């Protein structure tokens, strides 16, 4: 898990894990060839630790080669690989090798993976028998090292197996690659390769939209092999069935007419009167709408033993149930013995009919309606809806003007991720205004897939997806929608944990609104929408920004007044949401004579208790005013420049609360300065998404030709112009100082650092002084200026070399373990951010500056000295 779970969360997570135990493609265990903490080093180890109940046990098998021989006796095991070519289970073993008893292990003993449980599924991996068949085949007959029994099974479905499903799976071997001893199984979008009888047995197996690959055997007379060898019991209606598939060859060395479609296998069986070829094994193989390359020549015979032990031949005409329907390609033919199904007989070969009521999970959502409601305060409708399945298939529609949507999906494989975005919005953008984007993860249980599906999208669904995605290796929700890493793979534990955190934070408010105790923010029914909408209007949901790669990242959730609630990196701690308290605060905000709104960066922003004692000055600013006269709304956000604060949508949220008569305090600079394109890793991203350029020494704006919006002054003037046009009083603040001292001096002297100079790599397009640019901008626009940089420098120098650490962030990691491995501890101070004492001191400095600024006389009368 990404979070260490808070007290009281564990039991809730356990209950939700139990509830979600049958959800598809959410893993409970991870196997890695290079395991980290919490991961298994082998598939066997993961299986040995499966729950003793019959719940689905999903194992995510990371990329790697796993040299294991595996037997699965448990029901409801699910293998999820990272891709056919990335997750490989392999073992070199053949029937003629000796077992512990000194005898040949035989065909069944040669399997790499054996399934004896029910409802096994596997996806996006390879199971391979690495026995070197070709080298062994090339040895002389009298070579003592040559193995005579060359059957080498990759996958064996045992007699106790049933309802085994495979998607995007490759089975690789030569002779006897895949052996089905019974039960029903289904393959989709898969690949089975081999030479002799490499798909065989008496089970019912459907190969849907799959590739059957014939391999080359050098120095071998024709035929080179046989695709199938069914031993289907005569009372069983269906055997090996290939639908909408392709019979292809490994490469051009495989000659024409070298492989038979199959031959009838009558396995030697013990009866009361002796041991001989099973007369009841009337093999059944059918090809429907299957493309056949030129290596196919039809059907062939197979030998067995009679009651006297003599060799006899069984021909395709001797009762075997071999047939085709609408075969095509160079290997398709109706000449010779190529029995064809009639149109009427072909209707019996539907997947639903053959599987007799079992619907593999990979067949779910064949013609399903997905519907839901998008709930987001300020979101413009109609919005664009995009549904993506586990393998990246997409379906799209738009909502109505109320946020409701509906779309049909066919052949989509869960889990589903549904994204809602305002129209004409690039949800990955950080260099232009980004609209509101949210998404939801739906990981259904199997019964849920047999009905129409509700997938609602809202701030909570987005956060649940975000937590689950980031814990599973994604940068954030938006990367899931466009991820080249398929299949989409998610942690069941993190999914349950995030839902539990939602309930711990919001259950009281849900109860106050009359919503049910186990309210599901993704699956709720439409009758709960009016009450739920009342909750979402008090929240802001947004996507964070990952500076190292320049992309939108994980999600954050704040209340109406920008207090962090369920946000990343809170170590599992939950800030409970008090709806009644927020509503009371809103009443107070609506009735005071003056309101002060703050926009800025991390030096001013609000912080949750989990990162205490870190605090922004805006968090304490209210203490400097009479609450009956002034209410402060702090919208400052960590890591934002003047440009990214607007582009990432934060100003949109804040400005929706503003009206005439308000004050807007604007303090940027720390992040606007990030304009060194040559800086390692993040330089180009900073320039593209964050950087603004300061004025030159003459006070003239600097920016690339035709891009004046990239100047710091023009960026600040956007907020100033907005404020003036809405009869709001804008106030510019220079940024607070960093705790940097003069180099080469013995005395402790903090100096200004808010300027850039050209470096040896010529990384800056323009350089200059950011604090001076703020002063230039205030003068050019005739607005109030508070020079907080100079005042914070004075504060730092007054505190001196030791005492400043009580104000800026330099804390004992024993007392505050959050800072054990990060900047902010005593031996590695954070020279930019404050702890409580510093935040309050800076807030007082700003209040004092307001009192000394004539243009702010009305506001200064409400300050508390």
């Amino acid at each position: 898990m990404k979070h260490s779970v808070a007290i009281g969360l564990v039991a809730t997570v356990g209950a939700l894990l139990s509830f979600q135990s049958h959800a598809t493609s959410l893993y409970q265990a991870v196997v890695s060839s290079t395991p980290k903490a919490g991961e298994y080093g082998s598939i066997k180890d993961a299986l040995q630790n499966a729950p003793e109940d019959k719940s689905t046990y999903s194992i995510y098998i990371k990329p790697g080669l796993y040299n294991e021989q595996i037997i699965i006796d448990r029901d409801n095991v699910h293998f999820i690989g990272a891709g056919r070519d990335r997750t490989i289970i392999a073992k070199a073993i053949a029937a003629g090798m000796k077992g512990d008893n000194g005898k040949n292990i035989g065909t069944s003993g040669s399997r790499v993976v054996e399934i004896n449980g029910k409802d096994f599924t596997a996806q996006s991996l390879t199971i391979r028998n690495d026995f070197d068949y070709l080298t062994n085949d090339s040895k002389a007959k009298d070579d003592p090292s040559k193995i005579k029994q060359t059957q080498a099974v990759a996958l064996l479905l045992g007699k106790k197996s049933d309802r085994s499903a495979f998607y995007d799976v490759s089975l690789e071997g030569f002779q006897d690659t895949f052996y089905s001893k019974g039960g029903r199984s289904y393959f989709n979008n898969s690949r089975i390769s081999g030479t002799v009888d490499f798909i065989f047995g008496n089970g019912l197996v459907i190969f849907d939209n799959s590739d059957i690959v014939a391999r080359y055997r050098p120095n071998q007379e024709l035929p080179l092999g046989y695709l199938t060898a069914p031993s289907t019991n005569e009372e069983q209606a269906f055997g090996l069935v290939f639908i909408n598939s392709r019979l292809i060859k490994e490469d051009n060395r495989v000659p024409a007419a070298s492989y038979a479609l199959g031959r009838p296998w009558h396995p030697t069986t013990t009866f009361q009167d002796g041991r001989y070829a099973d007369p009841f094994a009337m093999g059944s193989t059918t090809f429907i709408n299957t493309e056949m390359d030129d290596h196919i020549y039809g059907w062939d015979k197979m030998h067995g033993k009679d009651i006297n032990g003599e060799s006899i031949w069984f021909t395709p005409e001797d009762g075997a149930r071999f047939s085709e329907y609408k075969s095509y390609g160079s290997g398709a033919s109706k000449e010779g013995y190529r029995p064809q199904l009639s149109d009427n007989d072909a209707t019996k070969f539907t997947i639903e009919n053959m599987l007799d009521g079992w619907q593999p999970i990979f067949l779910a959502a064949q013609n399903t309606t997905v519907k839901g409601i998008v709930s987001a305060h300020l979101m413009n409708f109609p919005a664009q809806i995009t549904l993506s399945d586990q393998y990246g298939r997409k379906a799209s529609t738009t909502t109505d003007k109320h946020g409701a949507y509906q779309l049909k999906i066919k052949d989509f494989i869960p889990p589903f991720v549904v994204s809602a975005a305002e129209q004409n919005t690039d949800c990955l953008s950080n260099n232009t205004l980004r609209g509101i984007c949210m998404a939801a993860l739906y990981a259904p249980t199997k019964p849920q897939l047999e009905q129409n599906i509700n997938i609602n999208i809202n701030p909570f669904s987005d956060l649940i997806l975000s937590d689950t995605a980031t814990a599973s290796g994604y940068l954030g929700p938006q990367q899931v929608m466009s991820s080249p890493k398929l299949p989409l793979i998610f942690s069941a534990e993190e999914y349950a944990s995030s839902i539990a955190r939602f309930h711990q934070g919001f259950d009281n408010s849900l109860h106050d609104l009359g919503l049910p105790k186990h309210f599901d923010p993704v699956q709720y029914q439409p009758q709960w929408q009016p009450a739920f909408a009342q909750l979402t209007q008090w929240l802001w949901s947004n996507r964070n920004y990952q500076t190292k790669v320049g992309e939108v990242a994980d999600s954050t959730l704040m209340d109406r007044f920008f207090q962090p609630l369920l946000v990343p990196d809170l170590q599992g701690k939950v800030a409970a949401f008090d709806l009644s308290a927020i509503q009371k605060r809103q009443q107070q905000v609506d009735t005071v004579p003056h309101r002060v709104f703050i926009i800025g960066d991390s030096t001013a922003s609000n912080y949750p208790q989990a990162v205490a004692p870190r605090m922004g000055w805006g968090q304490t600013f209210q203490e400097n005013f009479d609450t009956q006269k002034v209410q402060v709304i702090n919208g400052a956000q960590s890591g934002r420049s003047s440009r990214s604060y607007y582009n990432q949508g934060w100003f949109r949220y804040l400005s929706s609360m503003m009206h005439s008569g308000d004050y807007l305090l604007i303090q940027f600079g720390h992040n606007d300065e990030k304009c060194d394109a040559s800086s390692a890793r993040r330089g180009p991203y900073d320039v593209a998404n964050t950087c603004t350029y300061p004025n030159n020494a003459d006070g003239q704006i600097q920016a690339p030709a035709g891009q004046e919006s990239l100047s710091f002054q023009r960026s600040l003037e956007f907020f100033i112009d907005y404020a003036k046009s809405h009869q709001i009083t804008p106030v510019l603040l220079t940024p607070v100082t960093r705790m940097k001292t003069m180099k080469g001096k013995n005395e402790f002297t903090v100096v200004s650092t808010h300027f850039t100079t050209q470096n040896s790599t010529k990384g800056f397009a323009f350089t200059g002084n950011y604090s001076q640019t703020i002063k230039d901008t205030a003068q050019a626009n005739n607005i109030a200026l508070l020079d907080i940089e100079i005042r914070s420098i004075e504060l730092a120098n007054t505190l001196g070399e030791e005492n400043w650490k009580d104000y800026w962030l330099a804390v004992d990691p024993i007392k505050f373990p959050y800072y054990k491995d990060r900047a902010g501890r005593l031996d590695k101070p954070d020279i930019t951010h404050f702890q409580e004492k510093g935040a309050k001191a800076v807030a007082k400095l700003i209040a004092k500056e307001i009192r000394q600024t004539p243009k702010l006389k009305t506001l200064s009368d409400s300050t508390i000295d």
Side-chain angles (χ1 to χ4, degrees), residues 127-189:
I127 302 172
R128 185 175 73 207
N129 194 311
D130 273 342
F131 170 62
D132 194 347
Y133 181 89
L134 296 183
T135 297
N136 186 78
D137 206 27
S138 66
K139 292 179 180 178
K141 290 183 179 181
D142 57 355
D143 187 332
S145 67
K146 183 170 185 174
I147 294 176
K148 302 299 189 292
Q149 293 176 280
T150 55
Q151 298 90 341
V153 176
L155 174 65
L156 167 63
L157 299 182
K159 293 179 180 179
K160 295 181 180 179
S161 70
D162 191 29
R163 300 187 299 269
S164 301
F166 303 84
Y167 185 87
D168 189 35
V169 167
S170 181
L171 306 180
E172 297 181 10
F174 284 89
Q175 184 175 355
D176 290 5
T177 304
F178 171 47
Y179 186 5
S180 176
K181 283 190 171 183
R184 293 163 289 178
S185 58
Y186 172 80
F187 288 77
N188 191 301
N189 191 40

Side-chain angles (χ1 to χ4, degrees), residues 194-195 198 214-215 224-227 254 257-261 295-298:
T195 54
F198 62 94
R215 307 186 73 172
L224 297 188
Y226 315 90
L227 305 188
V254 177
S258 60
Y259 271 84
L261 292 170
H295 63 298
I296 297 300
Y297 66 83

Side-chain angles (χ1 to χ4, degrees), residues 459-480:
F460 304 112
S461 72
D462 195 63
L463 194 78
I464 291 167
L465 169 60
S466 177
D467 282 350
T468 309
T470 54
S472 304
Y474 300 93
L475 192 59
Q478 205 57 42
Q479 284 72 15
V480 172

Side-chain angles (χ1 to χ4, degrees), residues 537-548:
Q537 71 175 335
W538 296 101
L539 302 168
W540 301 128
S541 173
N542 208 345
R543 304 271 175 80
N544 291 312
Y545 172 67
Q546 171 54 259
T547 58
K548 292 181 180 179

Side-chain angles (χ1 to χ4, degrees), residues 187-449:
F187 288 77
N188 191 301
N189 191 40
S190 292
R191 183 180 189 271
I192 298 89
S193 62
T195 54
V196 178
D197 305 330
F198 62 94
I199 300 173
F200 71 112
N202 63 358
L204 165 58
V205 188
I206 297 175
F207 300 90
D208 186 5
N209 186 34
S210 294
D211 292 332
I212 312 303
V213 185
R215 307 186 73 172
Y216 180 60
R217 294 176 65 192
N219 306 315
Q220 173 66 35
E221 295 182 0
L222 299 186
L224 297 188
Y226 315 90
L227 305 188
T228 69
S231 58
T232 324
N233 187 275
E234 62 182 4
E235 294 184 359
Q236 183 175 313
F238 308 101
L240 308 177
V241 182
F242 302 80
I243 301 175
N244 301 322
S245 292
R246 293 155 297 279
L247 310 185
I248 60 180
K249 49 189 179 181
E250 186 176 49
D251 56 45
N252 289 330
R253 291 178 298 170
V254 177
S258 60
Y259 271 84
L261 292 170
R263 54 182 184 168
W265 180 36
H266 292 258
T268 303
T269 307
T270 301
F271 297 96
Q272 288 184 348
D273 57 348
R275 181 170 171 79
Y276 48 89
D278 184 356
F280 306 109
M282 295 299 178
S284 175
T285 296
T286 303
F287 294 90
I288 297 176
N289 195 35
T290 295
E291 181 179 6
M292 302 180 179
D293 208 340
D294 67 357
H295 63 298
I296 297 300
Y297 66 83
W299 307 93
D300 214 323
K301 62 184 183 298
M302 190 172 189
H303 68 81
K305 291 188 177 181
D306 65 14
I307 196 170
N308 299 314
E310 299 293 329
S311 182
I312 56 174
W313 287 94
F314 296 95
T315 67
E317 296 86 350
D318 291 335
R321 292 169 288 170
F322 293 157
S323 58
E324 301 173 63
Y325 183 73
K326 294 187 177 180
S327 300
Y328 62 99
S330 54
S333 175
K334 293 185 180 179
E335 297 179 2
Y337 187 74
R338 300 286 290 262
Q340 305 292 314
L341 292 174
S342 67
D343 290 343
N344 184 58
D345 287 339
T347 62
K348 301 174 184 176
F349 285 80
T350 64
I351 293 173
E352 294 77 8
N353 182 51
M354 288 186 287
L355 293 181
D356 192 26
W358 169 52
Q359 186 180 49
I361 194 68
F362 305 124
L363 272 180
Q366 286 197 87
N367 193 21
T368 300
T369 298
V370 177
K371 58 183 179 179
I373 300 173
V374 182
S375 301
H377 191 44
L378 298 188
M379 192 169 194
N380 292 319
F381 298 112
Q384 182 68 34
I385 298 293
T386 304
L387 183 147
S388 181
D389 84 342
Q390 189 176 14
Y391 287 88
R393 281 174 291 241
K394 299 188 187 303
S396 298
T397 188
T398 55
T399 69
D400 64 17
K401 63 181 180 180
H402 303 294
Y405 76 92
Q406 180 172 306
L407 78 165
K408 292 275 190 181
I409 56 175
K410 182 175 179 0
D411 297 332
F412 276 51
I413 297 173
F416 305 130
V417 177
V418 188
S419 173
E422 291 180 306
Q423 293 189 336
N424 302 313
T425 289
D426 176 5
C427 293
L428 282 172
S429 173
N430 285 291
N431 60 359
T432 57
L433 179 60
R434 188 174 77 222
I436 297 174
C437 303
M438 295 187 304
L441 168 64
Y442 175 63
T445 63
K446 189 173 177 181
Q448 289 172 319
L449 287 168

Side-chain angles (χ1 to χ4, degrees), residues 521-695:
V522 176
Q523 285 285 289
Y524 68 86
Q525 295 300 314
Q527 68 262 31
W528 301 115
Q529 177 60 22
F532 185 65
Q534 291 183 51
L535 179 60
T536 58
Q537 71 175 335
W538 296 101
L539 302 168
W540 301 128
S541 173
N542 208 345
R543 304 271 175 80
N544 291 312
Y545 172 67
Q546 171 54 259
T547 58
K548 292 181 180 179
V549 296
E551 291 187 18
V552 171
D554 45 12
S555 301
T556 188
L557 189 63
M558 297 186 175
D559 69 23
R560 174 69 70 87
F561 301 105
F562 297 89
Q563 184 61 39
L565 295 170
L566 304 183
V567 300
D569 299 323
L570 290 195
Q571 300 179 309
K573 297 178 181 177
V574 178
F577 179 74
D578 188 336
L579 179 59
S580 61
I582 291 292
Q583 290 173 327
K584 288 177 182 177
R585 171 88 198 278
Q586 186 66 55
Q587 291 175 353
Q588 194 173 21
V589 167
D590 290 341
T591 55
V592 292
H594 305 293
R595 306 184 312 169
V596 176
F597 290 86
I598 301 170
I599 61 174
D601 54 38
S602 59
T603 59
S605 60
N606 295 324
Y607 292 97
Q609 184 61 33
V611 302
R614 180 167 171 170
M615 187 175 286
W617 67 259
Q619 209 166 344
T620 73
F621 198 49
Q622 180 69 65
E623 297 173 9
N624 297 279
F625 293 92
D626 183 338
T627 58
Q628 300 302 311
K629 296 179 180 180
V630 173
Q631 282 289 309
V632 175
I633 296 92
N634 179 26
Q637 295 297 315
S638 297
R640 270 62 182 185
S641 67
S642 59
R643 183 158 68 100
S644 66
Y645 187 89
Y646 172 75
N647 285 339
Q648 293 172 23
W650 291 108
F651 189 67
R652 176 183 179 182
Y653 288 155
L654 191 77
S655 62
S656 70
M657 304 169 65
M658 298 166 65
H659 55 64
S660 63
D662 291 337
Y663 291 82
L664 177 63
L665 273 57
I666 307 165
Q667 187 190 59
F668 291 103
H670 281 89
N671 299 298
D672 288 81
E673 301 166 15
K674 296 174 179 177
C675 295
D676 183 1
S678 65
S679 177
R681 293 189 304 173
R682 54 187 276 184
Y685 303 127
D686 285 339
V687 172
N689 300 311
T690 303
C691 154
T692 61
Y693 296 107
N695 293 350

Side-chain angles (χ1 to χ4, degrees), residues 760-795:
S760 60
T761 58
K762 306 295 182 182
F764 292 91
F766 304 96
T767 60
N769 190 309
Y770 283 82
S771 293
Q772 185 58 48
T773 300
I774 295 170
K775 297 173 185 178
D776 295 342
T777 306
Q779 183 176 5
N781 290 273
N782 192 29
I783 66 170
L785 169 75
L786 309 180
D787 193 353
I788 305 307
E789 182 187 26
I790 191 65
R791 298 292 170 255
S792 57
I793 288 174
E794 291 171 356
L795 171 65

